[in-house]
Amino acid sequence: MVAELRSADADGRGPGGEERLAVVEAVGRRVLWLSTAIIDHANRVRPNPSGLKVGGHQASSASMTSIMTALWFHALTPEDRVSVKPHASPVLHAINYLLGELDESHLTTLRAFGGLQSYPSRSKDPDPVDYSTGSVGIGATAPLWGALARRYVEGHFGGAGRGRQYSLLGDAELDEGAIWEAIQDPMVPGLGEAVWVVDLNRQSLDRVVPGIAAERLQGMFAAAGWQVVTLKYGHVLRELFERPGGEALHARIDAMDNPEYQRLLRCSASELRERLPGTGSTAGPIADLIASLDDATLSAALRNLGGHDIGALMDAFDSVDDTRPTIIFAYTVKGYGLPTEGHPQNHSSLLTADQMSTLADRLGTDLDRPWAAFADGSPEAALCAAAARRLRRPGHAVRQPPTVPADLARPAPTGTGNTQQALGRILLDLTRKAPEAAGRIVTVSPDVSSTTNLGGWLNKVGVWSPAERPNWFADDPETILHWRERPTGQHVELGIAETNLVGLLGELGATWSRWGQPLLPIGVVYDPFVDRALEPWSFGIYAGGQSILVGTPSGVTLAPEGGAHQSITTPSLGIEQPGCVTFEPAFAIDTEWCLLAALGNLGRPEGSSAYLRLSTRPVEQSAAAVPDDPAARERRRRQVTAGAYRLRRHENPVVTLAAMGALVPEALAAADRLTALGHGADVVCVTSPDLLFRALQARRGLSQDPAWILDQVFPADRATPLVTVLDGHPHTLAFLSAIQNTPTVPLGVTRFGQSGAIEDVYRYHGIDTDSIVTAALDLVD
């Protein structure tokens, strides 16, 4: 049946094509019913003791049913992946139910606790979901980065296939900046497997959009190198346009603005005959043409847009040119087939019981048996069974990621250095000491590789490209960064949009669950711009992508750059991000241990992402005082990767200074001065406020995380008043006071930064040595 459908002539109407098309259309009507009923049950049938609105989007789902029916029951292959627009999640569940991928018991659980999610979720829905969506614009662009991730895996390890990557999105999503940042990235024009389908229903949440400017959008995609396909009118309207008066009707519909067209959808047939002809010289020919149509045909013709013509949609999917990205603008009616179709405020409207009963009668279903399957032996049941067999994906055994060493066993660094420099050195060390693990690392940068110390790594492993490209500067003796682009490269260089970086990170971090091939992705971005990238990175984590985001350089320590390049909130954001562990090491050896621990958590079902906040401040590395004894060194490493260690231990402390990252030298200097004043001070180096907070929650019985680090670093017998200090917002470490209920002064950055020497900037923010000493004296005097 499916093979026959694929071979149908134009509009699916070759010899016997009408019959085949009718079966797909019948399945589409059932998809419309099921998606509407799923939402209806959640809101009108299922008990709701709280009385709070459950919600759902019957109209937004209805506008997608034809598109998704044509895609799943005609065009998709097992290797394809689809990102479904958030409000069409009931359509996806309806299709999965018809394909046998979702048990009937789940259809009554939309938006219930533990039930079908409000928006498609890879990690929470019980049925197959290729991409989590819900954050507008991010779900649409994810398949672009999924395509790159698939190519990378296929080129390096095999087994990822060659499927298309579809994005089904609403026209309002094209307002999102993430869309345009993605399509303009230099990597994207070569992604011929990318196919976007725009549900062009010309409505937003509140209204009919007066001018959607479809032609301008089409031109922008064409200018970006995309194939543009427009499905504006269905076959009924196209046939009318060929009749006498049809040219005038075509021009009339093309010229009317969106609100007028939408208003016509709400008119009776008699009102249509009065309004549709309009005025002027073309009114007569149009009136004569529609006078030849009965009421039902006239009403159906006006709604016959390309996005609801399954035959036209099937043809469009078959015509995709796989040598470049494709976008299909499918004109639709929001709420198509429902009593609410075309109404400006139908976005969240729900059908009444009477309307549901009428809809059931019209679609040939039973309101009392809403989930009834197609009859055995029927053409529709046969089509669903054939599609299920065709789309069944082979299972992928999840390959265990290679073992990442916990310690590279190098002598503790000496001299001055910074944590950003340590990043590049550690990656190079891994290529020698753990080549299997290094072979799974892929770094990503938005045009900042050299300025974030990835140059040595990049020279070693090369830049990834689908095809080898000549390096025209290979023979230039002054070239330090060797830009060798080849399919075996392990660094991906994107344009300067941070949202693209983290979008790709999320997909590279999900390859273990898609194709059983774990990668160890590391993205490097200037820390001030982590805020900009946080939402799509967070959404990638939610969808199962495990990666490491390195923010560097960071904080007001980047003193000469001024406030625009000085991050303040990122340390606390790292604590607050689910599915992620945040680290901010002070020394090169701490950076090594934290990075290795983070790499060891990637690419596995129980894994997690990590955020490393690094600095360019030169720090005397001997201040780390790494023990020479192997057992003592291992104890230090365990403490570093658990969140903190006691860097200086006074025999009779009266105050504890807890510092993080670049501010550790100030804390050590303050401890020296306090000791000289007769006030002994312990110094604790915090490497992960995140893990310390989890440990505190575990001690209170609020989580299952280990809590041993608190007893080792903040023992009750050494509990003293506490000064916390970091190059970030002070509340990041303020919770440390709760470990032993000690008086605390939290120091940090609460204002926009200033340019200047580091000493002046630290003094301005009250995080210099003098400020630490003053805060400690206030506590102990």
PDB file of all heavy atoms in Angstrom, residues 122 145 149 153 442 502-514 517-522 537 540-541 543-548 602-604 609:
ATOM      1  N   ARG A 122      11.292  14.067  24.563  1.00  0.00           N
ATOM      2  CA  ARG A 122      12.046  12.826  24.365  1.00  0.00           C
ATOM      3  C   ARG A 122      12.203  12.064  25.669  1.00  0.00           C
ATOM      4  O   ARG A 122      12.225  10.835  25.690  1.00  0.00           O
ATOM      5  CB  ARG A 122      13.453  13.133  23.835  1.00  0.00           C
ATOM      6  CG  ARG A 122      13.549  13.508  22.385  1.00  0.00           C
ATOM      7  CD  ARG A 122      15.005  13.480  21.938  1.00  0.00           C
ATOM      8  NE  ARG A 122      15.475  12.128  21.757  1.00  0.00           N
ATOM      9  CZ  ARG A 122      16.685  11.687  22.093  1.00  0.00           C
ATOM     10  NH1 ARG A 122      17.537  12.488  22.679  1.00  0.00           N
ATOM     11  NH2 ARG A 122      17.022  10.437  21.878  1.00  0.00           N
ATOM     12  N   TRP A 145      20.967  20.990  13.858  1.00  0.00           N
ATOM     13  CA  TRP A 145      22.119  20.516  14.628  1.00  0.00           C
ATOM     14  C   TRP A 145      22.089  18.993  14.747  1.00  0.00           C
ATOM     15  O   TRP A 145      23.155  18.354  14.822  1.00  0.00           O
ATOM     16  CB  TRP A 145      22.131  21.186  15.993  1.00  0.00           C
ATOM     17  CG  TRP A 145      21.847  22.657  15.881  1.00  0.00           C
ATOM     18  CD1 TRP A 145      20.875  23.378  16.507  1.00  0.00           C
ATOM     19  CD2 TRP A 145      22.535  23.602  15.029  1.00  0.00           C
ATOM     20  NE1 TRP A 145      20.905  24.690  16.117  1.00  0.00           N
ATOM     21  CE2 TRP A 145      21.911  24.855  15.208  1.00  0.00           C
ATOM     22  CE3 TRP A 145      23.604  23.497  14.135  1.00  0.00           C
ATOM     23  CZ2 TRP A 145      22.327  25.996  14.531  1.00  0.00           C
ATOM     24  CZ3 TRP A 145      24.015  24.631  13.456  1.00  0.00           C
ATOM     25  CH2 TRP A 145      23.385  25.868  13.654  1.00  0.00           C
ATOM     26  N   ALA A 149      25.129  16.517  13.825  1.00  0.00           N
ATOM     27  CA  ALA A 149      25.555  15.456  14.738  1.00  0.00           C
ATOM     28  C   ALA A 149      25.513  14.096  14.045  1.00  0.00           C
ATOM     29  O   ALA A 149      26.412  13.268  14.221  1.00  0.00           O
ATOM     30  CB  ALA A 149      24.675  15.451  15.982  1.00  0.00           C
ATOM     31  N   VAL A 153      28.753  11.615  13.533  1.00  0.00           N
ATOM     32  CA  VAL A 153      28.793  10.229  14.002  1.00  0.00           C
ATOM     33  C   VAL A 153      28.999   9.268  12.835  1.00  0.00           C
ATOM     34  O   VAL A 153      29.816   8.341  12.916  1.00  0.00           O
ATOM     35  CB  VAL A 153      27.495   9.893  14.762  1.00  0.00           C
ATOM     36  CG1 VAL A 153      27.388   8.401  15.015  1.00  0.00           C
ATOM     37  CG2 VAL A 153      27.456  10.652  16.078  1.00  0.00           C
ATOM     38  N   VAL A 442      34.570  16.017  20.976  1.00  0.00           N
ATOM     39  CA  VAL A 442      34.363  16.957  19.875  1.00  0.00           C
ATOM     40  C   VAL A 442      34.156  18.322  20.496  1.00  0.00           C
ATOM     41  O   VAL A 442      33.321  18.491  21.385  1.00  0.00           O
ATOM     42  CB  VAL A 442      33.174  16.539  18.974  1.00  0.00           C
ATOM     43  CG1 VAL A 442      31.914  16.287  19.780  1.00  0.00           C
ATOM     44  CG2 VAL A 442      32.901  17.609  17.922  1.00  0.00           C
ATOM     45  N   VAL A 502      25.179  26.094  21.432  1.00  0.00           N
ATOM     46  CA  VAL A 502      24.587  25.191  22.416  1.00  0.00           C
ATOM     47  C   VAL A 502      23.526  24.299  21.789  1.00  0.00           C
ATOM     48  O   VAL A 502      23.266  23.190  22.279  1.00  0.00           O
ATOM     49  CB  VAL A 502      24.019  25.982  23.610  1.00  0.00           C
ATOM     50  CG1 VAL A 502      25.149  26.650  24.376  1.00  0.00           C
ATOM     51  CG2 VAL A 502      22.989  27.010  23.175  1.00  0.00           C
ATOM     52  N   GLY A 503      22.911  24.755  20.687  1.00  0.00           N
ATOM     53  CA  GLY A 503      22.004  23.871  19.966  1.00  0.00           C
ATOM     54  C   GLY A 503      22.735  22.652  19.436  1.00  0.00           C
ATOM     55  O   GLY A 503      22.257  21.514  19.556  1.00  0.00           O
ATOM     56  N   LEU A 504      23.914  22.872  18.866  1.00  0.00           N
ATOM     57  CA  LEU A 504      24.722  21.756  18.372  1.00  0.00           C
ATOM     58  C   LEU A 504      25.243  20.917  19.533  1.00  0.00           C
ATOM     59  O   LEU A 504      25.275  19.680  19.449  1.00  0.00           O
ATOM     60  CB  LEU A 504      25.883  22.282  17.530  1.00  0.00           C
ATOM     61  CG  LEU A 504      26.837  21.219  16.972  1.00  0.00           C
ATOM     62  CD1 LEU A 504      26.094  20.170  16.159  1.00  0.00           C
ATOM     63  CD2 LEU A 504      27.936  21.869  16.131  1.00  0.00           C
ATOM     64  N   LEU A 505      25.629  21.564  20.634  1.00  0.00           N
ATOM     65  CA  LEU A 505      26.090  20.804  21.804  1.00  0.00           C
ATOM     66  C   LEU A 505      25.033  19.810  22.260  1.00  0.00           C
ATOM     67  O   LEU A 505      25.326  18.661  22.580  1.00  0.00           O
ATOM     68  CB  LEU A 505      26.411  21.753  22.952  1.00  0.00           C
ATOM     69  CG  LEU A 505      27.819  22.315  23.088  1.00  0.00           C
ATOM     70  CD1 LEU A 505      27.930  23.091  24.389  1.00  0.00           C
ATOM     71  CD2 LEU A 505      28.872  21.234  23.021  1.00  0.00           C
ATOM     72  N   GLY A 506      23.775  20.285  22.316  1.00  0.00           N
ATOM     73  CA  GLY A 506      22.694  19.416  22.759  1.00  0.00           C
ATOM     74  C   GLY A 506      22.542  18.193  21.889  1.00  0.00           C
ATOM     75  O   GLY A 506      22.313  17.074  22.382  1.00  0.00           O
ATOM     76  N   GLU A 507      22.665  18.376  20.578  1.00  0.00           N
ATOM     77  CA  GLU A 507      22.510  17.238  19.666  1.00  0.00           C
ATOM     78  C   GLU A 507      23.729  16.332  19.665  1.00  0.00           C
ATOM     79  O   GLU A 507      23.601  15.106  19.595  1.00  0.00           O
ATOM     80  CB  GLU A 507      22.197  17.750  18.252  1.00  0.00           C
ATOM     81  CG  GLU A 507      20.835  18.406  18.144  1.00  0.00           C
ATOM     82  CD  GLU A 507      19.724  17.509  18.659  1.00  0.00           C
ATOM     83  OE1 GLU A 507      19.709  16.315  18.313  1.00  0.00           O
ATOM     84  OE2 GLU A 507      18.879  18.000  19.437  1.00  0.00           O
ATOM     85  N   LEU A 508      24.932  16.899  19.735  1.00  0.00           N
ATOM     86  CA  LEU A 508      26.121  16.052  19.862  1.00  0.00           C
ATOM     87  C   LEU A 508      26.069  15.247  21.161  1.00  0.00           C
ATOM     88  O   LEU A 508      26.520  14.106  21.214  1.00  0.00           O
ATOM     89  CB  LEU A 508      27.382  16.920  19.840  1.00  0.00           C
ATOM     90  CG  LEU A 508      27.728  17.591  18.508  1.00  0.00           C
ATOM     91  CD1 LEU A 508      28.836  18.615  18.704  1.00  0.00           C
ATOM     92  CD2 LEU A 508      28.128  16.568  17.459  1.00  0.00           C
ATOM     93  N   GLY A 509      25.468  15.851  22.192  1.00  0.00           N
ATOM     94  CA  GLY A 509      25.373  15.168  23.472  1.00  0.00           C
ATOM     95  C   GLY A 509      24.265  14.147  23.546  1.00  0.00           C
ATOM     96  O   GLY A 509      24.128  13.447  24.556  1.00  0.00           O
ATOM     97  N   ALA A 510      23.444  14.038  22.493  1.00  0.00           N
ATOM     98  CA  ALA A 510      22.338  13.069  22.477  1.00  0.00           C
ATOM     99  C   ALA A 510      22.621  11.880  21.561  1.00  0.00           C
ATOM    100  O   ALA A 510      21.769  10.989  21.437  1.00  0.00           O
ATOM    101  CB  ALA A 510      21.045  13.754  22.034  1.00  0.00           C
ATOM    102  N   THR A 511      23.776  11.829  20.928  1.00  0.00           N
ATOM    103  CA  THR A 511      24.046  10.749  19.971  1.00  0.00           C
ATOM    104  C   THR A 511      24.094   9.381  20.645  1.00  0.00           C
ATOM    105  O   THR A 511      23.829   8.365  20.010  1.00  0.00           O
ATOM    106  CB  THR A 511      25.364  10.996  19.221  1.00  0.00           C
ATOM    107  OG1 THR A 511      26.440  11.070  20.166  1.00  0.00           O
ATOM    108  CG2 THR A 511      25.305  12.299  18.427  1.00  0.00           C
ATOM    109  N   TRP A 512      24.431   9.346  21.932  1.00  0.00           N
ATOM    110  CA  TRP A 512      24.461   8.056  22.631  1.00  0.00           C
ATOM    111  C   TRP A 512      23.076   7.434  22.666  1.00  0.00           C
ATOM    112  O   TRP A 512      22.940   6.201  22.594  1.00  0.00           O
ATOM    113  CB  TRP A 512      25.006   8.232  24.047  1.00  0.00           C
ATOM    114  CG  TRP A 512      24.113   9.050  24.944  1.00  0.00           C
ATOM    115  CD1 TRP A 512      24.120  10.404  25.072  1.00  0.00           C
ATOM    116  CD2 TRP A 512      23.078   8.575  25.797  1.00  0.00           C
ATOM    117  NE1 TRP A 512      23.154  10.814  25.966  1.00  0.00           N
ATOM    118  CE2 TRP A 512      22.503   9.706  26.429  1.00  0.00           C
ATOM    119  CE3 TRP A 512      22.573   7.306  26.114  1.00  0.00           C
ATOM    120  CZ2 TRP A 512      21.454   9.603  27.337  1.00  0.00           C
ATOM    121  CZ3 TRP A 512      21.526   7.204  27.020  1.00  0.00           C
ATOM    122  CH2 TRP A 512      20.984   8.346  27.623  1.00  0.00           C
ATOM    123  N   SER A 513      22.032   8.277  22.765  1.00  0.00           N
ATOM    124  CA  SER A 513      20.675   7.746  22.849  1.00  0.00           C
ATOM    125  C   SER A 513      20.031   7.602  21.477  1.00  0.00           C
ATOM    126  O   SER A 513      19.079   6.830  21.325  1.00  0.00           O
ATOM    127  CB  SER A 513      19.817   8.656  23.733  1.00  0.00           C
ATOM    128  OG  SER A 513      19.763   9.973  23.219  1.00  0.00           O
ATOM    129  N   ARG A 514      20.511   8.312  20.480  1.00  0.00           N
ATOM    130  CA  ARG A 514      19.927   8.202  19.133  1.00  0.00           C
ATOM    131  C   ARG A 514      20.502   7.016  18.360  1.00  0.00           C
ATOM    132  O   ARG A 514      19.768   6.262  17.729  1.00  0.00           O
ATOM    133  CB  ARG A 514      20.171   9.486  18.340  1.00  0.00           C
ATOM    134  CG  ARG A 514      19.407  10.701  18.839  1.00  0.00           C
ATOM    135  CD  ARG A 514      19.389  11.782  17.775  1.00  0.00           C
ATOM    136  NE  ARG A 514      18.885  13.052  18.266  1.00  0.00           N
ATOM    137  CZ  ARG A 514      17.614  13.344  18.433  1.00  0.00           C
ATOM    138  NH1 ARG A 514      16.695  12.429  18.179  1.00  0.00           N
ATOM    139  NH2 ARG A 514      17.244  14.529  18.880  1.00  0.00           N
ATOM    140  N   GLN A 517      26.044   5.786  19.911  1.00  0.00           N
ATOM    141  CA  GLN A 517      27.439   6.215  19.806  1.00  0.00           C
ATOM    142  C   GLN A 517      27.665   7.435  20.687  1.00  0.00           C
ATOM    143  O   GLN A 517      27.265   8.544  20.352  1.00  0.00           O
ATOM    144  CB  GLN A 517      27.792   6.558  18.348  1.00  0.00           C
ATOM    145  CG  GLN A 517      27.855   5.376  17.409  1.00  0.00           C
ATOM    146  CD  GLN A 517      29.094   4.515  17.657  1.00  0.00           C
ATOM    147  OE1 GLN A 517      29.920   4.823  18.508  1.00  0.00           O
ATOM    148  NE2 GLN A 517      29.216   3.430  16.906  1.00  0.00           N
ATOM    149  N   PRO A 518      28.286   7.257  21.853  1.00  0.00           N
ATOM    150  CA  PRO A 518      28.490   8.395  22.748  1.00  0.00           C
ATOM    151  C   PRO A 518      29.606   9.316  22.267  1.00  0.00           C
ATOM    152  O   PRO A 518      30.666   8.858  21.826  1.00  0.00           O
ATOM    153  CB  PRO A 518      28.869   7.735  24.076  1.00  0.00           C
ATOM    154  CG  PRO A 518      29.493   6.434  23.676  1.00  0.00           C
ATOM    155  CD  PRO A 518      28.789   5.999  22.411  1.00  0.00           C
ATOM    156  N   LEU A 519      29.361  10.593  22.340  1.00  0.00           N
ATOM    157  CA  LEU A 519      30.383  11.599  22.112  1.00  0.00           C
ATOM    158  C   LEU A 519      30.615  12.341  23.427  1.00  0.00           C
ATOM    159  O   LEU A 519      29.781  12.324  24.331  1.00  0.00           O
ATOM    160  CB  LEU A 519      29.950  12.584  21.031  1.00  0.00           C
ATOM    161  CG  LEU A 519      29.731  12.023  19.625  1.00  0.00           C
ATOM    162  CD1 LEU A 519      29.221  13.115  18.692  1.00  0.00           C
ATOM    163  CD2 LEU A 519      31.015  11.412  19.078  1.00  0.00           C
ATOM    164  N   LEU A 520      31.755  13.004  23.507  1.00  0.00           N
ATOM    165  CA  LEU A 520      32.089  13.823  24.668  1.00  0.00           C
ATOM    166  C   LEU A 520      32.225  15.269  24.192  1.00  0.00           C
ATOM    167  O   LEU A 520      33.326  15.752  23.937  1.00  0.00           O
ATOM    168  CB  LEU A 520      33.396  13.334  25.315  1.00  0.00           C
ATOM    169  CG  LEU A 520      33.482  11.828  25.633  1.00  0.00           C
ATOM    170  CD1 LEU A 520      34.838  11.489  26.249  1.00  0.00           C
ATOM    171  CD2 LEU A 520      32.355  11.408  26.562  1.00  0.00           C
ATOM    172  N   PRO A 521      31.099  15.973  24.033  1.00  0.00           N
ATOM    173  CA  PRO A 521      31.148  17.313  23.429  1.00  0.00           C
ATOM    174  C   PRO A 521      31.485  18.406  24.444  1.00  0.00           C
ATOM    175  O   PRO A 521      30.976  18.415  25.565  1.00  0.00           O
ATOM    176  CB  PRO A 521      29.731  17.497  22.873  1.00  0.00           C
ATOM    177  CG  PRO A 521      28.874  16.523  23.585  1.00  0.00           C
ATOM    178  CD  PRO A 521      29.742  15.495  24.227  1.00  0.00           C
ATOM    179  N   ILE A 522      32.351  19.309  24.012  1.00  0.00           N
ATOM    180  CA  ILE A 522      32.753  20.454  24.836  1.00  0.00           C
ATOM    181  C   ILE A 522      32.556  21.716  23.999  1.00  0.00           C
ATOM    182  O   ILE A 522      33.136  21.858  22.917  1.00  0.00           O
ATOM    183  CB  ILE A 522      34.228  20.349  25.270  1.00  0.00           C
ATOM    184  CG1 ILE A 522      34.474  19.048  26.038  1.00  0.00           C
ATOM    185  CG2 ILE A 522      34.631  21.559  26.101  1.00  0.00           C
ATOM    186  CD1 ILE A 522      35.953  18.803  26.336  1.00  0.00           C
ATOM    187  N   TRP A 537      20.585  25.741  25.677  1.00  0.00           N
ATOM    188  CA  TRP A 537      21.408  24.695  26.286  1.00  0.00           C
ATOM    189  C   TRP A 537      20.593  23.932  27.311  1.00  0.00           C
ATOM    190  O   TRP A 537      20.631  22.701  27.373  1.00  0.00           O
ATOM    191  CB  TRP A 537      22.656  25.299  26.929  1.00  0.00           C
ATOM    192  CG  TRP A 537      23.645  24.258  27.379  1.00  0.00           C
ATOM    193  CD1 TRP A 537      24.177  23.245  26.619  1.00  0.00           C
ATOM    194  CD2 TRP A 537      24.217  24.126  28.673  1.00  0.00           C
ATOM    195  NE1 TRP A 537      25.048  22.496  27.374  1.00  0.00           N
ATOM    196  CE2 TRP A 537      25.101  23.015  28.640  1.00  0.00           C
ATOM    197  CE3 TRP A 537      24.083  24.834  29.860  1.00  0.00           C
ATOM    198  CZ2 TRP A 537      25.832  22.607  29.745  1.00  0.00           C
ATOM    199  CZ3 TRP A 537      24.821  24.436  30.969  1.00  0.00           C
ATOM    200  CH2 TRP A 537      25.684  23.327  30.909  1.00  0.00           C
ATOM    201  N   GLY A 540      18.354  21.604  25.598  1.00  0.00           N
ATOM    202  CA  GLY A 540      19.086  20.434  25.126  1.00  0.00           C
ATOM    203  C   GLY A 540      19.320  19.423  26.234  1.00  0.00           C
ATOM    204  O   GLY A 540      19.224  18.210  26.020  1.00  0.00           O
ATOM    205  N   ILE A 541      19.616  19.903  27.444  1.00  0.00           N
ATOM    206  CA  ILE A 541      19.777  19.004  28.592  1.00  0.00           C
ATOM    207  C   ILE A 541      18.459  18.309  28.892  1.00  0.00           C
ATOM    208  O   ILE A 541      18.416  17.098  29.138  1.00  0.00           O
ATOM    209  CB  ILE A 541      20.285  19.786  29.817  1.00  0.00           C
ATOM    210  CG1 ILE A 541      21.689  20.334  29.561  1.00  0.00           C
ATOM    211  CG2 ILE A 541      20.283  18.911  31.059  1.00  0.00           C
ATOM    212  CD1 ILE A 541      22.202  21.263  30.644  1.00  0.00           C
ATOM    213  N   ALA A 543      16.215  17.542  26.893  1.00  0.00           N
ATOM    214  CA  ALA A 543      15.953  16.556  25.853  1.00  0.00           C
ATOM    215  C   ALA A 543      16.923  15.383  25.885  1.00  0.00           C
ATOM    216  O   ALA A 543      16.847  14.498  25.026  1.00  0.00           O
ATOM    217  CB  ALA A 543      16.012  17.228  24.480  1.00  0.00           C
ATOM    218  N   GLY A 544      17.843  15.351  26.852  1.00  0.00           N
ATOM    219  CA  GLY A 544      18.745  14.213  26.981  1.00  0.00           C
ATOM    220  C   GLY A 544      20.142  14.448  26.453  1.00  0.00           C
ATOM    221  O   GLY A 544      20.959  13.525  26.441  1.00  0.00           O
ATOM    222  N   GLY A 545      20.440  15.667  26.020  1.00  0.00           N
ATOM    223  CA  GLY A 545      21.781  15.962  25.520  1.00  0.00           C
ATOM    224  C   GLY A 545      22.744  16.229  26.667  1.00  0.00           C
ATOM    225  O   GLY A 545      22.471  17.057  27.529  1.00  0.00           O
ATOM    226  N   GLN A 546      23.860  15.525  26.691  1.00  0.00           N
ATOM    227  CA  GLN A 546      24.854  15.670  27.752  1.00  0.00           C
ATOM    228  C   GLN A 546      26.118  16.286  27.160  1.00  0.00           C
ATOM    229  O   GLN A 546      26.701  15.729  26.228  1.00  0.00           O
ATOM    230  CB  GLN A 546      25.161  14.317  28.382  1.00  0.00           C
ATOM    231  CG  GLN A 546      23.957  13.660  29.036  1.00  0.00           C
ATOM    232  CD  GLN A 546      24.209  12.230  29.438  1.00  0.00           C
ATOM    233  OE1 GLN A 546      25.351  11.744  29.385  1.00  0.00           O
ATOM    234  NE2 GLN A 546      23.172  11.513  29.821  1.00  0.00           N
ATOM    235  N   SER A 547      26.520  17.414  27.699  1.00  0.00           N
ATOM    236  CA  SER A 547      27.664  18.125  27.139  1.00  0.00           C
ATOM    237  C   SER A 547      28.331  18.947  28.218  1.00  0.00           C
ATOM    238  O   SER A 547      27.826  19.080  29.337  1.00  0.00           O
ATOM    239  CB  SER A 547      27.210  19.037  25.995  1.00  0.00           C
ATOM    240  OG  SER A 547      26.304  20.021  26.477  1.00  0.00           O
ATOM    241  N   ILE A 548      29.471  19.511  27.877  1.00  0.00           N
ATOM    242  CA  ILE A 548      30.201  20.402  28.775  1.00  0.00           C
ATOM    243  C   ILE A 548      30.234  21.786  28.132  1.00  0.00           C
ATOM    244  O   ILE A 548      30.659  21.932  26.983  1.00  0.00           O
ATOM    245  CB  ILE A 548      31.630  19.898  29.029  1.00  0.00           C
ATOM    246  CG1 ILE A 548      31.594  18.529  29.720  1.00  0.00           C
ATOM    247  CG2 ILE A 548      32.425  20.894  29.853  1.00  0.00           C
ATOM    248  CD1 ILE A 548      32.960  17.871  29.841  1.00  0.00           C
ATOM    249  N   LEU A 602      29.581  11.897  30.837  1.00  0.00           N
ATOM    250  CA  LEU A 602      28.877  12.091  29.577  1.00  0.00           C
ATOM    251  C   LEU A 602      28.587  10.763  28.878  1.00  0.00           C
ATOM    252  O   LEU A 602      29.276   9.765  29.079  1.00  0.00           O
ATOM    253  CB  LEU A 602      29.711  12.971  28.635  1.00  0.00           C
ATOM    254  CG  LEU A 602      30.055  14.377  29.105  1.00  0.00           C
ATOM    255  CD1 LEU A 602      30.904  15.084  28.050  1.00  0.00           C
ATOM    256  CD2 LEU A 602      28.804  15.188  29.398  1.00  0.00           C
ATOM    257  N   GLY A 603      27.542  10.787  28.027  1.00  0.00           N
ATOM    258  CA  GLY A 603      27.294   9.696  27.103  1.00  0.00           C
ATOM    259  C   GLY A 603      26.759   8.436  27.716  1.00  0.00           C
ATOM    260  O   GLY A 603      26.989   7.341  27.192  1.00  0.00           O
ATOM    261  N   ARG A 604      25.990   8.559  28.783  1.00  0.00           N
ATOM    262  CA  ARG A 604      25.471   7.371  29.465  1.00  0.00           C
ATOM    263  C   ARG A 604      24.103   7.694  30.044  1.00  0.00           C
ATOM    264  O   ARG A 604      23.789   8.857  30.312  1.00  0.00           O
ATOM    265  CB  ARG A 604      26.444   6.933  30.553  1.00  0.00           C
ATOM    266  CG  ARG A 604      26.695   7.976  31.608  1.00  0.00           C
ATOM    267  CD  ARG A 604      27.790   7.553  32.598  1.00  0.00           C
ATOM    268  NE  ARG A 604      29.125   7.636  32.024  1.00  0.00           N
ATOM    269  CZ  ARG A 604      29.910   6.588  31.849  1.00  0.00           C
ATOM    270  NH1 ARG A 604      29.503   5.376  32.206  1.00  0.00           N
ATOM    271  NH2 ARG A 604      31.120   6.726  31.338  1.00  0.00           N
ATOM    272  N   SER A 609      25.293  16.821  32.301  1.00  0.00           N
ATOM    273  CA  SER A 609      26.101  17.859  31.675  1.00  0.00           C
ATOM    274  C   SER A 609      26.923  18.583  32.744  1.00  0.00           C
ATOM    275  O   SER A 609      26.760  18.346  33.950  1.00  0.00           O
ATOM    276  CB  SER A 609      25.199  18.851  30.945  1.00  0.00           C
ATOM    277  OG  SER A 609      24.561  18.245  29.845  1.00  0.00           O
TER     278      SER A 609
END
